């Protein structure tokens, strides 16, 4: 209510400034034409009784009865007398516009005006960016130079503070000659507000006490590429060139006779049938022919690593999309769609003209899954833990051991190359993809902080510690804020994974040590979350849709998010997944459940899942009501673990044949190729959304239909971009792993693990004697 009241007062204040200027102009026989200023004051929609009066006065004034002088001419005299520093070329071009009503009208029409929807939180008054940019060159005889329209954005502060809330700034679009630089525009706009404040002081002193000022001005002019951007472009060009050449060679070889170069992946030691040729060719010639053939096969194998054809075939293959664990593909893809759905709504707020109306959607029952979209990330934690335990324990059971060097290197190699490329793109190229009136937002502190961290602390991301360092893992100021998940997942994999796998793989009854240890750690994770809620006094803040601390607020962890991205507060779901993977591996996916048990399990899982997702509906539907500290602690402590248990039941039910239609849907073959793109889609989808939102020339007006269309568009485009970056970076690195890491694994086994095993056997035999 305080924010709404402030917005209302601000609207009336700015409108009254215009009326006061008109009144004083009439009294002193100095007409001030508001059409001639960079920010025309014009009310398009009445917000109060006072604005209705103002609108009629402005309409009467703009009829032409008092249009002989202009504010621009007044500004010119003021600037000359006070030496504010506005460039002479800018002043001369503005003076030229004053005497050319037809041309001036285009500049005035393109500039921002007091819009409709201010009481709905419209904070970006953009005007018409395209109209300003399309104004043709005009020749000024006084300067003997031509100029055209240039769009600029000014950030308006009231009493040194943002207009909307504590962080949201009011952006004012202006259209002035391109001879006016950012400093000129700032001086002109501040001069206008100073004049209006002084004019209103004689009638309404209280209004004149409000300090309206333009803190910053950003022009639409695109900066030249810096060295970092050029380097990333060159790197991208090299990657594209390699992929194209490899694709061309791979595609061409696939149409050659089979006896020349085979396209299939065969071992280089394949025996060739030479019975018909051995009598006709000498041994030396045959040896050379075989060597050439092997060389061609090796070259083709390298080309297939980067080939778009080969990698696309592997990506879209569905032969392995069957089996008892096929349901995991559906869970993975639907969870990714859930993430994109939540972000589609969340990111829309950055460029929306009716956020107040949009926030009412939070009270809907049907919107609760989107509010609680963060549980989709817990689905990823669950799946990751399940697959790690399942594959590792299965390998131990089949081979008797696990290659630990490969265990660690595989994960890092799998995630890091694409991750590093996205960081490079975000740091050096992303800002150059934003054009138009919203480019000013890229220079705001909340936007530049993340990029600056990427430039200096990129190594924290590649070491997967960005959820704790720098800035204690603050999502708003870390490099690629959504990468907090990767840091947590990697830490779980490297720390929890080996501990649980080793203990669960112990022989005979000793394996129960691992079971009890895993259960204990899960319960400990629940207790840690409850303790964090109590220690920091976390309470739900509807303004940020997050739980904020009410105690120990000066603690760095409290300031930077004490619970959401912390590994010690999120690991329990990962262990639930590992325990599920252990059950599947030990039973070899042969689980039998009684019919009654299956029905009871589904009832419990559905009830629990609905309680987790819709547990806050009453509080969201009744603004001003909040859970007690005990209720908050209970919900936050067990909510995510309970969600992991629900997913564990879904998987076990599907594997045991009790999944019914759920298993049929989750096991569709189409989920397999989409699932392979999940990692790439997760990394690129925020960039896809931000690029679209910030390139909009007008703020989006929220409606349900608009939101649905944006979600579908974001979903499709994100997967298209994910496919591109996967084919360029991710897929080739996966294929290179087979070439580079396997020899490294053999080296470690022969020269590292081998001597250790030999030494341990010697020690064991010595003690046995």
């Amino acid at each position: 209510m305080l924010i709404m009241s402030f917005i209302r007062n601000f609207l009336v204040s700015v409108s009254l400034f215009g009326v006061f200027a008109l009144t004083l102009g009439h009294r002193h026989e100095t007409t001030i034409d508001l059409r001639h200023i960079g920010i025309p004051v014009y009310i398009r929609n009445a917000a109060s009784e006072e604005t209705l009066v103002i609108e009629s006065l402005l309409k009467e004034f703009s009829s032409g009865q008092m249009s002989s002088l202009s504010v621009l001419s007044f500004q010119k005299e003021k600037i000359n007398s006070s030496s504010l520093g506005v460039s002479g070329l800018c002043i001369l071009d503005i003076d030229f516009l004053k005497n050319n009503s037809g041309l001036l009208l285009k500049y005035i029409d393109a500039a921002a005006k007091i819009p409709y929807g201010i009481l709905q939180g419209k904070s970006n008054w953009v005007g018409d960016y395209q109209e300003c940019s399309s104004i043709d060159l005009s020749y000024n005889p006084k300067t003997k130079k031509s100029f055209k329209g240039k769009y600029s954005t000014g950030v308006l502060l009231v009493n040194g503070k943002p207009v909307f809330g504590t962080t949201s700034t009011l952006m004012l679009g202006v259209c002035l000659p391109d001879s006016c630089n950012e400093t000129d525009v700032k001086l002109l706009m501040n001069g206008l507000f100073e004049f209006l404040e002084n004019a209103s002081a004689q009638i309404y002193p209280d209004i004149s006490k409000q300090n309206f000022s333009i803190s910053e001005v950003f022009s639409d002019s695109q900066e030249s590429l810096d060295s970092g951007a050029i380097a990333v472009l060159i790197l991208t060009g090299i990657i594209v060139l390699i992929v194209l050449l490899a694709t061309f060679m791979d595609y061409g070889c696939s149409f050659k006779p089979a006896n020349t170069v085979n396209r299939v992946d065969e071992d280089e030691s394949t025996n060739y049938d030479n019975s018909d040729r051995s009598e006709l060719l000498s041994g030396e010639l045959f040896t050379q022919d075989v060597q050439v053939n092997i060389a061609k096969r090796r070259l083709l194998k390298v080309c297939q690593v980067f080939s778009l054809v080969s990698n696309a075939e592997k990506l879209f293959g569905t032969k392995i999309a069957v089996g008892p664990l096929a349901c995991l593909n559906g869970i993975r893809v639907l969870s990714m769609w859930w993430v994109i759905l939540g972000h589609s709504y969340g990111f829309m707020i950055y460029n929306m003209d009716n956020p107040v109306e949009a926030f009412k959607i939070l009270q809907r029952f049907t919107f609760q899954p989107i509010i609680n979209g963060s549980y989709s990330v817990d689905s990823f934690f669950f799946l990751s833990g399940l697959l790690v335990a399942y594959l590792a324990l299965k390998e131990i059971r089949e081979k008797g051991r696990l290659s630990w060097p490969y265990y660690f290197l595989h994960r890092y190699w799998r995630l890091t190359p694409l991750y590093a490329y996205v960081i490079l793109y975000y740091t050096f190229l992303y800002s150059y993809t934003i054009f138009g009136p919203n480019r000013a937002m890229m220079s705001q502190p909340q936007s530049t902080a993340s990029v600056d961290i990427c430039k200096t602390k990129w190594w924290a991301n590649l070491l997967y510690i960005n959820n704790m360092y720098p800035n204690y893992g603050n999502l708003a100021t870390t490099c690629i804020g959504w990468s907090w998940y990767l840091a947590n997942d990697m830490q779980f994999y490297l720390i929890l994974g080996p501990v649980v796998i080793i203990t669960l793989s112990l022989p005979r009854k000793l394996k129960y040590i691992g079971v009890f240890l895993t259960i204990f750690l899960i319960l400990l994770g629940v207790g840690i979350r409850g303790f964090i809620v109590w220690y920091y006094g976390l309470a739900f803040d509807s303004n940020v849709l997050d739980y904020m601390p009410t105690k120990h607020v000066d603690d760095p962890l409290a300031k930077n998010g004490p619970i959401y991205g912390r590994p010690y507060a999120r690991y329990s779901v990962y262990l639930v997944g590992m325990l599920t993977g252990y059950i599947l591996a030990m039973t070899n996916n042969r689980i039998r459940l009684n019919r009654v048990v299956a029905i009871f399990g589904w009832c419990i899982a559905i009830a629990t899942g609905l309680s987790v997702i819709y547990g806050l509906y009453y509080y969201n539907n009744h603004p001003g009501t909040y859970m007690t500290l005990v209720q908050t602690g209970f919900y936050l402590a067990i909510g995510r673990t309970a969600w992991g248990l629900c997913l564990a039941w879904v998987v076990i039910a599907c594997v045991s044949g009790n999944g019914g239609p759920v298993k049929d849907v989750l096991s569709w073959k189409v989920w397999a190729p989409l699932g392979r793109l999940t990692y790439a889609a997760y990394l690129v989808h925020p960039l896809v959304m931000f690029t679209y939102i910030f390139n909009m020339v007008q703020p989006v007006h929220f409606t349900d239909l608009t939101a649905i269309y944006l979600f579908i568009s974001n979903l499709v485009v994100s997967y298209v971009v994910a496919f591109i970056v996967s084919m360029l970076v991710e897929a080739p690195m996966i294929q290179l792993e087979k070439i580079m890491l396997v020899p490294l694994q053999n080296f470690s086994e022969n020269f590292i693990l081998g001597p250790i095993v030999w030494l341990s056997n010697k020690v064991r035999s010595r003690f046995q004697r």
Side-chain angles (χ1 to χ4, degrees), residues 588-635:
N588 199 23
N589 300 319
R590 293 186 176 92
I591 301 176
R592 296 291 180 265
L593 296 177
N594 183 276
R595 186 74 172 176
V596 176
V597 174
I599 295 175
F600 181 75
W602 273 113
C603 291
I604 295 297
I606 292 174
T608 302
L610 292 176
S611 299
V612 170
I613 299 302
Y614 293 94
L616 297 179
Y617 170 65
Y618 174 82
Y619 303 99
N620 293 330
N621 192 42
H622 296 78
T625 59
Y626 302 95
M627 291 190 297
T628 64
L629 184 61
V630 175
Q631 292 172 325
T632 302
F634 180 81
Y635 178 78

Side-chain angles (χ1 to χ4, degrees), residues 156-341:
L156 179 63
L157 301 179
V158 178
N159 298 324
K161 298 180 180 179
V163 176
F164 295 94
T166 58
T167 58
S168 181
T169 56
L170 180 60
M171 316 292 287
L172 302 176
V174 294
C175 186
L176 290 171
D178 58 1
S179 56
C180 300
N181 56 38
E182 294 180 0
T183 302
D184 296 333
V185 176
K186 181 178 179 180
L187 291 172
L188 287 169
M189 296 177 73
N190 278 322
L192 169 64
F193 281 108
E194 181 182 354
F195 163 72
L196 294 177
E197 291 175 8
N198 294 334
S200 64
Q202 301 181 26
I203 303 177
Y204 292 96
D206 292 337
I207 295 180
S208 64
K209 295 178 182 179
Q210 307 296 326
N211 180 23
F212 291 80
S213 62
I214 301 296
S215 62
E216 294 178 282
V217 171
F218 305 95
S219 64
D220 181 53
S221 57
Q222 190 68 265
E223 299 177 357
S224 58
L225 297 176
D226 59 16
S227 58
I230 295 174
V232 176
L233 284 176
I234 293 174
L235 175 63
T236 304
I238 294 174
I239 294 174
V240 172
L241 180 61
I242 292 175
V243 170
L244 291 178
L245 291 176
T247 302
F248 176 77
M249 296 184 64
D250 182 32
Y251 186 77
C253 291
S254 64
F255 288 96
K256 290 184 178 182
N259 60 353
T260 56
V261 178
N262 292 325
R263 193 172 172 277
V264 296
D265 291 329
E266 297 179 292
D267 188 79
E268 293 178 1
S269 61
T270 301
N271 294 323
Y272 296 95
D273 185 6
N274 57 7
S275 58
D276 294 334
R277 305 178 61 192
S278 59
E279 297 178 359
L280 301 176
L281 299 176
S282 64
E284 180 180 358
L285 182 60
F286 175 73
T287 302
Q288 292 177 356
D289 182 71
V290 172
Q291 290 177 349
V292 171
N293 201 8
I294 293 177
K296 289 181 179 180
R297 289 171 55 79
R298 289 179 176 176
L299 177 62
L300 178 59
K301 192 171 183 179
V302 173
C303 289
Q304 288 178 351
V305 168
F306 298 93
S307 171
L308 180 62
V309 175
S310 296
N311 289 327
E313 287 179 355
K314 295 181 177 68
L315 175 68
F316 292 111
T318 58
K319 292 182 179 180
I320 62 173
V322 294
L325 297 184
C327 62
L328 300 184
N329 293 324
I331 296 176
R332 180 183 293 108
V333 175
L334 292 177
S335 297
M336 187 66 247
W337 290 9
W338 194 4
V339 171
I340 295 178
L341 176 62

Side-chain angles (χ1 to χ4, degrees), residues 367-574:
F367 198 74
Q368 302 312 299
I370 300 176
I371 296 179
N372 285 315
S374 63
Y375 285 98
S376 59
V377 181
D378 292 287
S379 300
F380 289 135
F381 284 140
F382 169 82
L383 293 174
S384 181
L386 186 153
L387 291 173
V388 167
Y390 177 80
L391 296 175
L393 293 174
K394 186 178 179 180
E395 182 176 347
I396 292 175
R397 189 182 64 181
E398 294 175 353
K399 298 181 180 180
R401 59 187 177 85
L402 180 66
S403 176
W404 288 108
Y406 185 79
Y407 174 90
F408 294 110
L409 292 174
H410 166 74
R411 189 68 169 183
Y412 191 84
W413 186 286
R414 171 68 178 85
L415 298 182
T416 307
L418 180 58
Y419 186 24
Y421 180 80
V422 172
I423 292 175
L424 285 174
Y425 173 85
Y426 177 76
T427 305
F428 297 105
L429 284 182
Y430 167 64
S431 62
Y432 293 100
T433 64
I434 307 301
F435 304 91
N438 294 309
R439 180 165 173 75
M441 294 184 181
M442 303 304 299
S443 302
Q444 297 300 302
Q446 56 267 34
S447 298
T448 59
S450 181
V451 175
D452 292 339
I453 289 294
C454 284
K455 291 181 178 179
T456 57
K457 305 294 184 181
W458 54 268
W459 52 267
N461 290 68
L462 298 186
L463 291 178
Y464 295 92
I465 60 173
N466 52 291
N467 58 340
M468 297 297 293
Y469 178 87
N471 299 328
Y472 293 88
N474 187 309
L475 300 185
T477 58
T478 190
C479 177
I480 305 184
W482 58 96
S483 65
W484 69 270
Y485 161 77
L486 301 180
N488 280 268
D489 186 75
M490 180 63 79
Q491 291 164 8
F492 300 159
Y493 182 87
L494 297 179
I495 300 174
L496 294 177
V499 173
V500 174
I501 291 172
I502 292 173
T503 55
L504 289 178
S505 61
L506 292 175
R508 300 182 181 87
K509 293 184 178 181
L510 291 178
K511 62 185 178 182
Y512 292 111
I513 296 177
V515 175
F516 289 124
L517 175 63
T518 305
I519 295 175
F520 170 76
L521 290 176
I522 292 173
L523 296 177
L524 179 62
V526 173
I528 290 174
R529 290 183 62 85
F531 174 78
I532 292 174
V533 174
W534 169 80
Y535 182 78
Y536 290 105
L538 297 184
F540 186 75
D541 188 342
S542 59
N543 293 323
V544 296
L545 300 180
D546 198 3
Y547 293 89
M548 304 303 293
T550 59
K551 299 186 299 183
H552 306 286
V553 293
D554 294 331
D555 189 324
L557 290 177
K559 292 180 179 179
N560 297 280
I563 195 170
Y564 186 78
R566 306 302 173 188
Y568 47 78
R570 300 300 294 265
Y571 75 84
S572 59
V573 182
Y574 190 89

